[in-house]
Amino acid sequence: MALIVQKFGGSSVADAEGLARVATRVVATKKAGNDVVVVVSAMGDTTDDLLDLAAAITQKAPEREMDILLTAGERISMSLLAMAIDARGVPARSYTGQQAGVLTDAAYGKAQIVKLAPERIQKSLADGQVAIVAGFQGVNDANDVTTLGRGGSDTTAVALAAALGADVCEIYTDVDGLFTADPRVVPNARRIREITSEETLELAAHGAKILHLRAVEFARRYNVPLHVRSSFSDKDGTWVRNPTEENPMEDPIITGVTHDASQAKITVLGVPDRPGVAARVFQVCADQGSNVDTIVQNVSADSNRADISFTLPMAEAERTLQALRDAEDDLGFTGLKDTAEIGILSVVGAGMRTHSGVSATLFGALSEAGVNIEMISTSEIRISVVVASEDLPTALKVVHSAFDLDASETEAVVYGGTGR
Amino acid sequence: MALIVQKFGGSSVADAEGLARVATRVVATKKAGNDVVVVVSAMGDTTDDLLDLAAAITQKAPEREMDILLTAGERISMSLLAMAIDARGVPARSYTGQQAGVLTDAAYGKAQIVKLAPERIQKSLADGQVAIVAGFQGVNDANDVTTLGRGGSDTTAVALAAALGADVCEIYTDVDGLFTADPRVVPNARRIREITSEETLELAAHGAKILHLRAVEFARRYNVPLHVRSSFSDKDGTWVRNPTEENPMEDPIITGVTHDASQAKITVLGVPDRPGVAARVFQVCADQGSNVDTIVQNVSADSNRADISFTLPMAEAERTLQALRDAEDDLGFTGLKDTAEIGILSVVGAGMRTHSGVSATLFGALSEAGVNIEMISTSEIRISVVVASEDLPTALKVVHSAFDLDASETEAVVYGGTGR
């Protein structure tokens, strides 16, 4: 008998049909002899609908009130799921974050879990019930309701799995796990059977949308095995876990290729080549709240000046450009170039550490395909390149092939939308 | 400075416009120098929508899960109202039943309040905030969420007013208070300025839909003055309170005339006139869960037999008739008569106790108008008569006039629908 935490996103429980499908799966897991804790997000568009309601009232809602408003969604989905499971002959009880002992700090909208006191969940399991917990929410020490921010339900699930000593935390989504590339762009992408949390973090940070960074970090820290799989099929998905003596994972050179088409590139031309000028450029960006990612600096044609390029989310490009223009006199640059249409491709693999030649293979494949590399940045287990937006699909495919990641037949099935 | 509890029903907060109107009123009350506690129901049709969601899942939802589901509605309306008040420059905090210290028994769906521990509300008021409390909900000693049943938000408001020692509990609705008759039937009905809770109970029990029995009983028991008024106007409404030495209320002979068109009459003909037979008739009804109201027994044409007539809610008539038919052999009656189309008219007034002649005026007015009385029942401060359904509007008008209740001009304005 195992203790299994199952997390279902909003798209899995969007309607009565979805709730029935989830309930059937939970009941099967329970009847197979396991203890089951379910973490559930709000149904479909509920959270957006609640945000719309608030927006119709005020543009500056107090955060405390916004948090209690948004948590109504999980309260609805969790009780309906309990009803659906109960209707299938298995006793079930739903618990709010407060009831489940999810204790957080007071940072409304992005609260951190400070302690888990899941006595009621343990009691429920001991009584033979399926325990259903509202994701995304907790309670601070003033007994006020908080939300955990983006990906909060994943975090709830992993934290509960850690606190309960669960054997696995299953994250249900609308694809069969993590793939070596986005199957919508690279049709012969291969399902990744097993991956380390370190690699998963790099994938998630550079374009893979399936798992949220915080949840993966939590899983790594508390050594919780994650099983990312589809709520629409019974296929095995992707196991995210750290190698152990009993299970020494092989480090493939490259685990996967991700891409991110949501970034823009800004180049500041002819910045005076004096200490502190680059710092001032990025201070202007920081003052705008811009999330600058990759930065490259080259010597300019004029040898006393430098060109600085950086990437940032596309949505932030406009106001950052304007801020730079406003600071032109102070910064003393000679020109600004805005390239919205860029794509970032990243290859990630723990094996990169010990195998040389990865960059040679990567750059060689791109060159052979006639793809120009605009910028390069690296971490210990990742290499990212910025290319022209129109080159991105080709770049993904040739790189995927160059690292022998192509599956012999199409493995990926995309079942629906994505949840929170 | 007074402490005022204001309760708003679902129709008052049905949309952003309604929330804005309520917020404006609350802010005005607060800025006039009062401490304000607001109790709010779920927005418009929210509760019905949640019931529909549950019905799509199962017909036998566990009561615990149903209660936590339904309380999501007040969680939404209370936080939105807090935002709307805050947006008008007055600090506001919303509180769930649990946070407000509404402690109940474990009777899901119809929980009774066993204790109020409103420390957080008192703290909120001391901090100069408007405290908004979710109506209709509480928490049992297992920390599970409960609902208070029909009229639950009124009960929350009155109970909080009692516990906080409020000067008044204002119940906002869509009419300007209680009227001497339903203004939709009797256009020149008069607004009742002041009424005892005892009379209000009789009115509520016999057709007046504005206030719920439990809330009025609570107000009577804890001596909480109620002010029933419209959320659409600033007019004074109806004060429900008990006479005191400083405020000796005059007992009008008749305070109001109510009617109930939702009842049916069943007559069991030729029941053997032996002890215990009537009891067996009503046992059959009780087994069906029928809510029998008025009962009249006459000697039948056959002197060894009796005819028994009784009224009950129209929705229960069909299955009660069938149950009686099934028990025909046991009961030994000679026939059954079903009269769905009846109306019940009640005159209520504390002055009835000390003034004779009320029934003479009542029966005289009906007789003059050619209205036949089918049944009569009385309490200490009420006389009810059953008449043919089509006679009900005429009966109401002539009785209303006969007791000098007619206003010189039309006072009543009906503003919208009715909330929970």
Side-chain angles (χ1 to χ4, degrees):
Chain A
M1 192 177 84
L3 170 51
I4 300 178
V5 174
Q6 301 187 319
K7 181 261 167 178
F8 295 94
S11 63
S12 298
V13 294
D15 50 23
E17 194 188 328
L19 283 162
R21 191 173 51 237
V22 168
T24 302
R25 178 182 293 274
V26 171
V27 166
T29 311
K30 173 73 181 160
K31 288 198 170 160
N34 302 292
D35 280 342
V36 187
V37 175
V38 179
V39 173
V40 70
S41 301
M43 294 169 77
D45 300 325
T46 309
T47 304
D48 288 339
D49 293 346
L50 293 172
L51 285 169
D52 289 347
L53 280 173
I57 304 278
T58 175
Q59 293 307 310
K60 290 195 289 185
E63 291 174 323
R64 176 186 182 275
E65 303 303 327
M66 189 58 102
D67 271 15
I68 198 146
L69 173 70
L70 293 183
T71 55
E74 284 77 21
R75 184 174 270 228
I76 293 170
S77 56
M78 75 176 198
S79 49
L80 290 174
L81 183 57
M83 292 176 193
I85 293 170
D86 183 272
R88 284 162 177 76
V90 168
R93 298 285 184 282
S94 68
Y95 299 94
T96 62
Q98 193 255 1
Q99 291 172 330
V102 181
L103 310 174
T104 75
D105 59 24
Y108 296 111
K110 49 179 190 298
Q112 304 272 352
I113 297 176
V114 292
K115 196 186 158 190
L116 269 153
E119 287 80 17
R120 292 199 69 183
I121 307 304
Q122 287 160 325
K123 172 79 167 57
S124 220
L125 296 176
D127 290 348
Q129 298 157 356
V130 169
I132 300 160
V133 179
F136 179 63
Q137 60 179 259
V139 67
N140 64 22
D141 59 10
N143 193 30
D144 280 337
V145 175
T146 55
T147 67
L148 308 180
R150 280 227 150 262
S153 291
D154 286 0
T155 306
T156 303
V158 175
L160 263 175
L164 295 168
D167 296 281
V168 57
C169 179
E170 297 182 339
I171 306 284
Y172 284 90
T173 177
D174 52 1
V175 289
D176 285 322
L178 302 177
F179 282 78
T180 51
D182 185 336
R184 284 168 299 189
V185 183
V186 183
N188 57 354
R190 206 154 65 195
R191 179 171 59 77
I192 300 171
R193 266 71 181 163
E194 206 166 30
I195 186 171
T196 63
S197 42
E198 193 184 8
E199 290 168 304
T200 309
L201 283 172
E202 287 280 9
L203 289 175
H206 294 90
K209 299 278 192 294
I210 307 294
L211 280 171
H212 286 273
L213 280 179
R214 280 174 68 190
V216 179
E217 283 181 355
F218 221 103
R220 177 171 62 166
R221 199 177 329 147
Y222 294 98
N223 216 13
V224 176
L226 299 181
H227 186 186
V228 183
R229 55 192 304 199
S230 165
S231 64
F232 294 83
S233 87
D234 285 324
K235 284 190 219 166
D236 215 46
T238 298
W239 285 84
V240 181
R241 56 187 159 197
N242 294 323
T244 59
E245 280 186 29
E246 303 93 70
N247 177 38
M249 284 166 66
E250 192 190 344
D251 281 348
I253 301 176
I254 295 300
T255 308
V257 187
T258 66
H259 72 283
D260 185 349
S262 69
Q263 302 266 316
K265 187 175 84 164
I266 290 177
T267 303
V268 189
L269 296 163
V271 177
D273 198 5
R274 283 195 311 270
V277 175
R280 290 223 304 281
V281 167
F282 292 107
Q283 187 57 50
V284 169
C285 299
D287 290 348
Q288 293 302 308
S290 305
N291 294 287
V292 170
D293 184 19
T294 310
I295 300 173
V296 166
Q297 178 171 340
N298 280 331
V299 173
S300 181
D302 171 349
S303 59
N304 291 322
R305 293 178 176 268
D307 298 339
I308 300 177
S309 294
F310 57 89
T311 62
L312 76 176
M314 212 177 280
E316 300 170 3
E318 190 70 36
R319 67 165 196 266
T320 304
L321 267 176
Q322 187 56 52
L324 287 169
R325 260 184 231 115
D326 293 347
E328 185 170 354
D329 288 350
D330 177 41
L331 298 174
F333 54 79
T334 59
L336 277 175
K337 222 169 84 185
D338 166 26
T339 319
E341 289 79 24
I342 61 149
I344 303 180
L345 175 153
S346 305
V347 294
V348 173
M352 210 181 277
R353 264 193 288 253
T354 51
H355 293 77
S356 58
V358 170
S359 41
T361 306
L362 172 63
F363 302 154
L366 291 173
S367 153
E368 209 165 292
V371 173
N372 187 44
I373 300 171
E374 300 190 15
M375 291 167 76
I376 299 170
S377 82
T378 59
S379 83
E380 207 185 357
I381 63 167
R382 174 185 54 83
I383 303 179
S384 298
V385 295
V386 172
V387 300
S389 182
E390 69 263 25
D391 288 341
L392 193 57
T394 307
L396 269 169
K397 281 175 206 142
V398 299
V399 170
H400 196 263
S401 294
F403 286 104
D404 289 330
L405 295 172
D406 291 355
S408 50
E409 55 188 74
T410 306
E411 282 194 68
V413 189
V414 179
Y415 299 89
T418 46
R420 181 167 67 201
Chain B
M1 193 178 83
L3 170 52
I4 300 178
V5 174
Q6 300 187 321
K7 182 259 166 179
F8 296 93
S11 63
S12 299
V13 292
D15 49 23
E17 194 189 329
L19 284 162
R21 191 173 53 239
V22 168
T24 302
R25 178 181 293 274
V26 171
V27 166
T29 311
K30 172 73 182 163
K31 289 197 169 160
N34 302 292
D35 279 342
V36 187
V37 175
V38 179
V39 174
V40 69
S41 299
M43 295 168 76
D45 300 325
T46 309
T47 304
D48 287 340
D49 292 346
L50 292 172
L51 286 168
D52 288 347
L53 280 173
I57 304 277
T58 175
Q59 293 307 309
K60 291 196 288 188
E63 291 175 322
R64 175 186 182 276
E65 303 303 327
M66 189 58 104
D67 271 15
I68 196 146
L69 174 69
L70 294 183
T71 54
E74 284 78 20
R75 182 175 271 229
I76 294 170
S77 56
M78 74 176 199
S79 49
L80 291 174
L81 183 57
M83 293 175 194
I85 292 171
D86 182 272
R88 284 162 177 77
V90 169
R93 298 285 184 281
S94 69
Y95 299 94
T96 63
Q98 193 255 0
Q99 291 172 330
V102 181
L103 310 174
T104 74
D105 59 23
Y108 295 111
K110 50 179 189 299
Q112 303 273 352
I113 297 175
V114 293
K115 195 187 157 191
L116 268 153
E119 286 80 17
R120 292 200 69 182
I121 307 305
Q122 286 160 324
K123 172 78 167 56
S124 221
L125 295 177
D127 290 347
Q129 298 157 355
V130 168
I132 300 159
V133 178
F136 180 62
Q137 60 179 259
V139 66
N140 65 23
D141 58 11
N143 193 30
D144 280 337
V145 175
T146 55
T147 66
L148 307 180
R150 281 226 151 262
S153 290
D154 286 1
T155 306
T156 302
V158 175
L160 263 176
L164 295 168
D167 297 281
V168 57
C169 179
E170 297 183 339
I171 306 283
Y172 284 89
T173 178
D174 54 359
V175 289
D176 285 321
L178 302 177
F179 282 78
T180 51
D182 185 336
R184 286 168 299 191
V185 185
V186 183
N188 56 355
R190 206 155 64 194
R191 179 170 60 78
I192 301 171
R193 266 70 180 164
E194 207 165 28
I195 187 172
T196 64
S197 43
E198 193 184 6
E199 290 167 306
T200 309
L201 282 172
E202 286 281 8
L203 289 176
H206 294 89
K209 299 278 191 292
I210 306 294
L211 280 172
H212 287 273
L213 280 178
R214 280 174 67 192
V216 179
E217 283 181 356
F218 223 103
R220 176 171 64 168
R221 200 176 331 145
Y222 294 98
N223 215 16
V224 177
L226 299 181
H227 186 188
V228 184
R229 56 193 304 199
S230 166
S231 64
F232 294 83
S233 86
D234 285 324
K235 285 189 217 167
D236 216 44
T238 299
W239 284 83
V240 181
R241 56 188 160 197
N242 294 323
T244 59
E245 280 187 27
E246 305 92 67
N247 177 38
M249 285 166 66
E250 192 189 346
D251 281 348
I253 302 175
I254 295 299
T255 309
V257 188
T258 67
H259 72 282
D260 186 349
S262 68
Q263 301 265 316
K265 187 176 83 164
I266 291 177
T267 303
V268 189
L269 296 163
V271 177
D273 199 4
R274 286 196 308 272
V277 175
R280 290 224 302 282
V281 167
F282 292 107
Q283 188 57 51
V284 170
C285 298
D287 290 346
Q288 293 302 310
S290 305
N291 294 287
V292 170
D293 183 22
T294 311
I295 300 173
V296 166
Q297 177 171 338
N298 279 331
V299 173
S300 179
D302 171 349
S303 61
N304 291 322
R305 294 178 176 268
D307 299 339
I308 300 177
S309 294
F310 57 89
T311 62
L312 77 176
M314 214 176 278
E316 299 169 3
E318 190 70 34
R319 66 163 197 266
T320 304
L321 267 175
Q322 187 55 51
L324 287 169
R325 263 183 229 114
D326 293 347
E328 184 168 356
D329 289 351
D330 176 42
L331 299 174
F333 55 78
T334 59
L336 276 175
K337 223 169 84 183
D338 165 27
T339 319
E341 289 77 26
I342 61 148
I344 305 179
L345 176 153
S346 304
V347 293
V348 172
M352 211 181 277
R353 264 192 287 252
T354 50
H355 294 77
S356 57
V358 169
S359 42
T361 306
L362 172 65
F363 302 153
L366 291 173
S367 151
E368 210 165 288
V371 174
N372 187 45
I373 300 172
E374 299 191 14
M375 293 167 75
I376 299 170
S377 82
T378 60
S379 82
E380 208 185 356
I381 63 166
R382 173 186 55 84
I383 304 178
S384 298
V385 295
V386 172
V387 301
S389 180
E390 69 264 26
D391 289 341
L392 194 56
T394 307
L396 269 168
K397 282 175 204 141
V398 300
V399 170
H400 196 263
S401 293
F403 287 103
D404 289 329
L405 294 172
D406 291 354
S408 50
E409 55 188 72
T410 305
E411 282 195 66
V413 188
V414 179
Y415 299 90
T418 47
R420 179 167 68 201

